[in-house]
Amino acid sequence: MEVGDLDEIFIRKGEKMISKVFGRIKITKKNAPYIFLLPIISVFLLFLLYPIVDSLIMSFYTFKYGEFDFVGFQNYIMLFKDNVFLTALKNNLIYLVIQVPIMVTLALILANLINQKYIYGKPFFRISIFMPAITALVAYSLVFMLLLNTEHGIINYLLSLINISSIDWLNKPIAARLSIIIAITWRWTGYNMIIMLAGLQGIPEVLYEASDIDGASEFAKFTRITIPLMKNIILFCIITSTIGTLQLFDESYVLTSGGPNNSTITIAHYLYNTGFRYIKFGYAAAISYILVAIIGIISYIQFKIGGE
């Protein structure tokens, strides 16, 4: 049996299956790909594209007394007069500027260490460091609530052993922000490390062997070979981490509830409160599109700084 015969068999079987759902449709080799993609295209249009367009339209309306009223750009104008939204934006930028560079740098260092020939038990280290990334978001937030508890948390207990007084991690603005940064870093460093480890394993070993012959130090090999050849991978990790940080929700919602006094609330957390607690769907939709615009602008800047 030839390949062409198999194609005809699959087309005939597909024609019978589709005809049961959509009626009699003549399938040819030209339209077969589009017909077989029709189910997934329908799902994409219904559950992804339609909500995107509908929420954009909704952002120009307000929801009052069970009805939507058109207000034009009023929701967007109000956002930049909204102190809570501006505080949430500031918090997101603080997390972004502090946490992302620390996490990406730490991930690159860990990946480089695990990639060394003299390291034994590499599978154990890879799994151990990556494990937080597959932990449920709510579960790990609750664990950090216990670890950072002011009176009974293990972190303050360890600090007491070196004569440092207890820190009210979750109820002081600066300490609460630091708690979220620590939690995010713990969770996502391993994820980025695995990506960078894959990139490191794609670097030709002959480059390092040649540098050994020239007498290059480990630091010189890391800065002159590893980092330049990992540029695209590092940029990818920075951009995906930036997007994730700007979409941050669970840590703010579970770990600190946005407090104290909105000092840790994020844009996504405020969006949730606006839409599902205060029932301001139009205003929440406007917040979501401002967030999309911010992510797009920052990602574009990062692409330009990182090079094409």
Side-chain angles (χ1 to χ4, degrees), residues 186-231:
W186 176 83
R187 177 175 173 80
W188 294 112
T189 296
Y191 174 84
N192 288 283
M193 183 209 71
I194 292 296
I195 295 173
M196 291 190 179
L197 185 59
L200 287 172
Q201 292 174 349
I203 298 176
E205 189 64 29
V206 293
L207 297 177
Y208 293 107
E209 293 173 355
S211 64
D212 288 334
I213 294 173
D214 293 336
S217 64
E218 292 296 325
F219 181 76
K221 288 190 287 185
F222 183 71
T223 55
R224 300 294 181 87
I225 299 176
T226 303
I227 293 179
L229 293 178
M230 287 285 292
K231 180 181 177 182

Side-chain angles (χ1 to χ4, degrees), residues 63-250:
F63 184 75
K64 292 182 179 179
Y65 310 112
E67 295 182 356
F68 285 98
D69 297 323
F70 182 76
V71 294
F73 289 95
Q74 190 63 36
N75 286 329
Y76 292 94
I77 295 172
M78 288 175 59
L79 272 177
F80 295 97
K81 300 178 182 178
D82 187 342
N83 291 329
V84 178
F85 173 77
L86 295 176
T87 299
L89 176 60
K90 182 185 73 173
N91 291 336
N92 273 103
L93 294 177
I94 289 173
Y95 301 145
L96 173 63
V97 171
I98 296 176
Q99 187 266 336
V100 171
I102 292 174
M103 180 178 63
V104 172
T105 302
L106 186 59
L108 179 60
I109 293 172
L110 288 172
N112 190 60
L113 287 173
I114 293 177
N115 196 48
Q116 300 301 315
K117 293 181 179 179
Y118 55 80
I119 297 295
Y120 294 98
K122 291 182 181 181
F124 169 77
F125 289 110
R126 286 198 297 264
I127 294 172
S128 299
I129 299 174
F130 180 73
M131 192 66 71
I134 59 175
T135 304
L137 287 166
V138 175
Y140 105 89
S141 297
L142 291 173
V143 168
F144 268 88
M145 285 183 66
L146 297 174
L147 292 174
L148 298 170
N149 184 276
T150 304
E151 297 180 358
H152 308 291
I154 190 172
I155 302 298
N156 279 338
Y157 171 73
L158 294 175
L159 291 176
S160 68
L161 297 179
I162 54 177
N163 297 321
I164 297 178
S165 58
S166 296
I167 299 173
D168 195 0
W169 290 101
L170 303 178
N171 298 305
K172 298 293 182 181
I174 296 177
R177 290 191 187 114
L178 183 59
S179 300
I180 289 180
I181 290 172
I182 293 171
I184 303 168
T185 304
W186 176 83
R187 177 175 173 80
W188 294 112
T189 296
Y191 174 84
N192 288 283
M193 183 209 71
I194 292 296
I195 295 173
M196 291 190 179
L197 185 59
L200 287 172
Q201 292 174 349
I203 298 176
E205 189 64 29
V206 293
L207 297 177
Y208 293 107
E209 293 173 355
S211 64
D212 288 334
I213 294 173
D214 293 336
S217 64
E218 292 296 325
F219 181 76
K221 288 190 287 185
F222 183 71
T223 55
R224 300 294 181 87
I225 299 176
T226 303
I227 293 179
L229 293 178
M230 287 285 292
K231 180 181 177 182
N232 291 336
I233 303 296
I234 294 171
L235 180 62
F236 172 81
C237 290
I238 290 174
I239 291 174
T240 54
S241 299
T242 297
I243 294 171
T245 302
L246 290 172
Q247 294 177 335
L248 197 65
F249 170 76
D250 296 80

Side-chain angles (χ1 to χ4, degrees), residues 280-305:
K280 297 180 179 180
F281 297 122
Y283 196 56
I287 294 173
S288 69
Y289 273 91
I290 289 295
L291 178 58
V292 169
I294 292 170
I295 291 173
I297 291 169
I298 293 178
S299 298
Y300 176 78
I301 292 172
Q302 289 174 331
F303 269 118
K304 285 298 181 182
I305 293 174

